[in-house]
Amino acid sequence: MKKSMLGAVACLLLMLSGCSNREAFPVEALDWQLCTVQEQETGEVLFAGPGEDGWPEAEEKALSCVMEAGEITLTDEAKGENWRGTYRQIQAPDHQGTAVYEVAFEDDGEGLLTTGVTRYQNGEEEASLLLDTGDYVLRFSAPLSNESP
């Protein structure tokens, strides 16, 4: 399982690091909102955030992620449920701004989190956060205009 998780993170790193050559950004300063929850084994998108129209078969879910001072909180906006844990950076941002963190949730195990910048063909950029729990990959995004100076 560790090998498959490390392989998935390596793929995520390659995917994110090739997206932009922007400097690193503070993950704590961004408003992270769910894009998708994807099953690792089958690739099926189970949940999609509000406004994510590309996944008609997925159930809509408003989930936010807050990272602050080594603590991470995922919040289901509709149900008011929270999942709390801690994070620790294990790979500092590279020249592309991609960083990797270990994440441990209070009751729900461990995972790896990768942050980076996605640049689209029209020149727009957004911050991307991928949380790999082993069984699922949660993809969050945040506008980079929310950065603190």
Side-chain angles (χ1 to χ4, degrees), residues 20 22-26 29-32 116-119 124-128 141-148:
S20 175
R22 182 180 168 89
E23 293 295 318
F25 53 87
L30 299 177
D31 178 24
W32 297 105
V117 177
T118 301
R119 174 179 243 171
E124 291 182 21
E125 294 181 326
E126 69 180 1
S128 298
S141 67
L144 288 168
S145 60
N146 285 359
E147 288 183 57
S148 298

Side-chain angles (χ1 to χ4, degrees), residues 28-95:
E28 293 88 357
L30 299 177
D31 178 24
W32 297 105
Q33 297 299 314
L34 181 71
C35 296
T36 58
V37 175
Q38 191 169 8
E39 187 177 83
Q40 184 87 297
E41 190 173 316
T42 66
E44 180 183 359
V45 175
L46 304 173
F47 300 100
E52 293 289 328
D53 300 331
W55 314 103
E57 73 286 356
E59 182 181 332
E60 185 174 295
K61 183 172 283 294
L63 191 70
S64 64
C65 176
V66 174
M67 296 175 68
E68 188 173 342
E71 295 186 5
I72 183 170
T73 303
L74 303 179
T75 302
D76 182 326
E77 305 293 338
K79 296 181 180 178
E81 295 177 343
N82 292 309
W83 295 271
R84 290 184 171 82
T86 58
Y87 67 91
R88 179 179 71 87
Q89 190 175 69
I90 59 172
Q91 179 182 319
D94 62 14
H95 68 284

